[in-house]
Amino acid sequence: MIELTGTKDVQDFIQQNRLAVIFKAGICRQTEEAKRRLSPFFKKYPDIPAAKIDVVSNREASTTATGLAGKKHESPQILLFKDGKCIYTASHWRIEGLLLIDAIGL
């Protein structure tokens, strides 16, 4: 999973990948739990482009991602883009690898 730190990083990542998963991570217990629940997904599908945004130190990147998704900021949050459009989002305890698999259609 690559780290996105600025507006251009986020824009380029979404534009350059037909599917793009962005995980917006904070420093709370819920973020650690979301990482644990997503880990099997990222291990099973390593070819799906995935990126992480540290919302504490990269607020600009976080704001850009949620703006492009047309969603409000939450943390932790997962955003799934397909062909530049956000087709799925989940936050907090609703973040699940199996739901992400369903959203992608795998």
Side-chain angles (χ1 to χ4, degrees):
M1 189 176 316
I2 65 167
E3 182 84 20
L4 303 177
T5 60
T7 296
K8 184 162 176 23
D9 290 345
V10 174
Q11 292 168 334
D12 289 349
F13 182 71
I14 293 168
Q15 289 174 351
Q16 293 170 3
N17 295 291
R18 183 171 181 271
L19 280 176
V21 177
I22 297 177
F23 178 59
K24 294 176 38 191
I27 56 173
C28 64
R29 187 177 108 235
Q30 291 175 345
T31 294
E32 292 306 312
E33 180 62 22
K35 284 181 194 176
R36 186 189 66 74
R37 290 192 317 266
L38 287 170
S39 180
F41 169 83
F42 292 124
K43 285 179 184 173
K44 186 171 182 174
Y45 300 102
D47 295 336
I48 294 177
K52 176 186 166 195
I53 298 173
D54 179 333
V55 299
V56 175
S57 54
N58 297 305
R59 178 60 91 185
E60 179 183 305
S62 175
T63 301
T64 299
T66 50
L68 291 171
K71 307 296 179 186
K72 70 176 187 151
H73 164 77
E74 297 186 72
S75 175
Q77 183 175 38
I78 195 96
L79 302 168
L80 171 62
F81 290 85
K82 183 176 181 181
D83 297 323
K85 293 187 87 172
C86 184
I87 62 167
Y88 176 78
T89 186
S91 66
H92 298 87
W93 302 113
R94 294 180 311 272
I95 295 174
E96 289 285 344
L98 291 175
L99 296 176
L100 192 54
I101 290 169
D102 288 345
I104 293 171
L106 298 173

